[in-house]
Amino acid sequence: MYYPEEVIEEIRQRNDIVDVISSYISLKRSGSNYVCCCPFHNEKTASFSVSRQKQIFHCFGCHEGGNVISFVMKYENYTFPEAVKALADRVGYALPEIEQSEEDKKKAGRKALLREVNTAAAAYFHFLLTKTERGKPGYRYYKEKRKFTDETIASFGLGYADIYADDLYKYLKKKGFTDDIIRDAGLVDFDERRGPHDKFWNRVMVPILDQNGKCIAFGGRVLGDAKPKYLNTKETEIFEKSRNLFALYKAKRSRRRGMILCEGYMDVITQHQAGIDNAIASLGTAFTAGQALLIKRYTKEVYLAYDSDLAGRKAAKKAIQILRDMDMSQRVIDLSPHKDPDEFLAAEGIEAYEERIRNAIPGRLFEIRELAGNFRMDDPEEKANFLHEAAELIAMIPDPAKRANYCETVAGEFVMDEKLLLQEVTRIGLSGRGQSAGAAPPEPGDDRVTEYQRDGQAAQVQRTVQTAQPQRSAQGPPGTDQTEEYLLTWMVNRPELFGILKDHISEEDFSGVVREVADQLYAQYRETGKVEPAAILSRYEESEDQNTVAGILSREMPFETERDSAEKALTELVKKLKLRSVDQALRSGQGSALALARQKKEIQKIKVTLP
């Protein structure tokens, strides 16, 4: 660490974890905690939990966890001091100037070098394209094929990788970069037979900038018939495809409404040239939740301008679901009869494209229209099946007015009985399926309320059981192998147990990483009469350690809370923990067998009594 522990703790306490994470992700209240879909892995069911009381987060799916500093480190890909500084700046806290450790200086310097070598490569590619005869093939491609102006070429720093396989390597070596940095930036490959050879050659080059405008990678399109047609930089220490977006650096400064999400670089550049400067694209991979959260920092409105072919429509449906899970608005731009924005603008111009943007349809309506393509509307049975499946989609809409409007629109567009469609949507909602997807319950006084409540409660019980299963059944205390974790978790949830159990157990009864955590919790309790789990997490800099500790500290106990049941469960946990300590002493030969046997008898007499 570069800063004193008291400074780090002061910054952590000034940054409420719910407020900070809410600035990145849309959290929803669930009991005493806040939940959402995890930003660190793709999922459909929210398993990411944030506790304001404990000031920690934990994902029960991928097991990422930590405190507010850990979250900023993981989400922003920051080092520990970078995260501390960001949080200090957030609350206006002036950090003391403290010298970095040699190891962290090395890490920061390495990342700076990787950005520097990418910037040098971008400058060289651009120079070849615009200032040399060798770059003429690339220049002609951009000018004649893509119709890019010189201003656009300069604005995006477009370039050209020469036909020689070691051209860039020789240039970067002359600039003083080492083989390790050139290789680790993904610019040059090395092997024994061929030696160093450029990753990109005979390609038009597109620099990829991060959200701060630093060059971190490249995309290249081959000139000719070689494969692959498009090639991106491999993932590096500074470039993660699923957490970056092409042209976001430019689009975030746009005054236009929302952002337009495309599939390719050229579509984005064409739109920016036409004045549509809020266009962005994913980086050679499918759109991800991480990219959605990146967009959400700047806007909650996204327009999809994906290709109009089958593959593009499938990709649009996936993106719609990701955006919906992130509580973001999704609209789809109709590009037909053209394939993509580039082709549309070339054929019909900016005014027609602006009109298509204004008429972009909501994601749910796009899904319903796509669904309709699977049915023959002149066949009565197939049309009835379409009505049922369309009703399933509409029932997921939580707002009653929007559901009614969708019923009206869909019924009119597909020549259906609006009343019948609305009845089917209501039936699905009453069955519990709509409720689990966010549909509103019936109004009080509806004679079907009792049935709706019964089904809804059953669905809620099922969800609760499914959520609790990874944490073991609530029928009794867990097995001995996790006894100490569960007992310590319970004590964190109910700090008064540190005092109640002081005559039965101490930190010395725990072992391994749980012992480390117990030592710190007991010390906190003795000093202040309370525990602060988030302060403990600040002492673990390794992500794996943070995840392990956060898992212990963030778990909600599945036991019943009635006094008698709690006393029995606690008594069993304490006995198992104490008996395990005795068994370990017997196996290691510590103490006499007779004394340990007496100790076992005393342990059996333990009974935890709650006030």
Side-chain angles (χ1 to χ4, degrees), residues 484 504-511 515 522 577-578 580-581 584:
E484 57 187 42
H504 303 304
I505 60 167
S506 70
E507 59 266 51
E508 295 177 357
D509 291 305
F510 298 90
S511 61
R515 169 64 187 272
Y522 270 87
L577 187 57
K578 298 293 287 186
R580 192 183 63 178
S581 297
Q584 288 174 343

Side-chain angles (χ1 to χ4, degrees), residues 77-91:
N77 195 26
Y78 281 168
T79 61
F80 184 85
E82 286 173 339
V84 171
K85 185 178 186 310
L87 290 169
D89 291 344
R90 180 180 180 271
V91 295

Side-chain angles (χ1 to χ4, degrees), residues 58-128:
H58 183 69
C59 175
F60 294 97
C62 68
H63 307 298
E64 290 280 0
N67 60 14
V68 68
I69 300 173
S70 312
F71 179 85
V72 173
M73 285 176 66
K74 296 172 195 285
Y75 190 89
E76 296 281 13
N77 195 26
Y78 281 168
T79 61
F80 184 85
E82 286 173 339
V84 171
K85 185 178 186 310
L87 290 169
D89 291 344
R90 180 180 180 271
V91 295
Y93 184 92
L95 282 169
E97 292 189 10
I98 297 178
E99 187 67 22
Q100 292 184 348
S101 71
E102 287 303 316
E103 180 183 354
D104 288 311
K105 278 184 180 179
K106 186 176 178 181
K107 287 181 181 178
R110 178 175 170 77
K111 285 188 174 183
L113 273 175
L114 289 171
R115 295 187 185 97
E116 189 178 330
V117 74
N118 274 295
T119 300
Y124 184 62
F125 290 144
H126 185 66
F127 172 79
L128 286 179

Side-chain angles (χ1 to χ4, degrees), residues 16-168:
D16 178 80
I17 193 168
V18 173
D19 293 342
V20 171
I21 294 182
S22 292
S23 69
Y24 294 99
I25 311 168
S26 178
L27 295 174
K28 294 183 179 179
R29 187 73 177 260
S30 178
S32 60
N33 292 338
Y34 295 80
V35 298
C36 68
C37 288
C38 181
F40 304 119
H41 80 288
N42 287 329
E43 62 175 3
K44 293 184 178 179
T45 303
S47 60
F48 186 85
S49 178
V50 185
S51 170
R52 175 165 268 153
Q53 179 185 0
K54 299 175 186 176
Q55 288 293 303
I56 60 178
F57 74 91
H58 183 69
C59 175
F60 294 97
C62 68
H63 307 298
E64 290 280 0
N67 60 14
V68 68
I69 300 173
S70 312
F71 179 85
V72 173
M73 285 176 66
K74 296 172 195 285
Y75 190 89
E76 296 281 13
N77 195 26
Y78 281 168
T79 61
F80 184 85
E82 286 173 339
V84 171
K85 185 178 186 310
L87 290 169
D89 291 344
R90 180 180 180 271
V91 295
Y93 184 92
L95 282 169
E97 292 189 10
I98 297 178
E99 187 67 22
Q100 292 184 348
S101 71
E102 287 303 316
E103 180 183 354
D104 288 311
K105 278 184 180 179
K106 186 176 178 181
K107 287 181 181 178
R110 178 175 170 77
K111 285 188 174 183
L113 273 175
L114 289 171
R115 295 187 185 97
E116 189 178 330
V117 74
N118 274 295
T119 300
Y124 184 62
F125 290 144
H126 185 66
F127 172 79
L128 286 179
L129 180 82
T130 58
K131 303 296 183 182
T132 71
E133 284 297 318
R134 289 185 290 160
K136 289 298 183 184
Y139 187 75
R140 282 195 298 271
Y141 172 83
Y142 280 135
K143 294 289 286 187
E144 298 171 10
K145 176 73 173 177
R146 293 294 177 178
K147 309 297 183 186
F148 291 163
T149 64
D150 288 340
E151 290 77 9
T152 296
I153 290 172
S155 176
F156 281 88
L158 303 180
Y160 172 70
D162 209 344
I163 58 173
Y164 303 106
D166 61 352
D167 186 61
L168 178 66

Side-chain angles (χ1 to χ4, degrees), residues 481-489 507 509-522 540 548-549 552 577 580:
D481 60 325
Q482 291 191 15
T483 295
E484 57 187 42
E485 285 190 23
Y486 276 81
L487 181 56
L488 195 60
T489 295
E507 59 266 51
D509 291 305
F510 298 90
S511 61
V513 67
V514 184
R515 169 64 187 272
E516 293 178 17
V517 178
D519 283 341
Q520 297 172 76
L521 289 170
Y522 270 87
Y540 294 88
T548 300
V549 175
I552 297 170
L577 187 57
R580 192 183 63 178

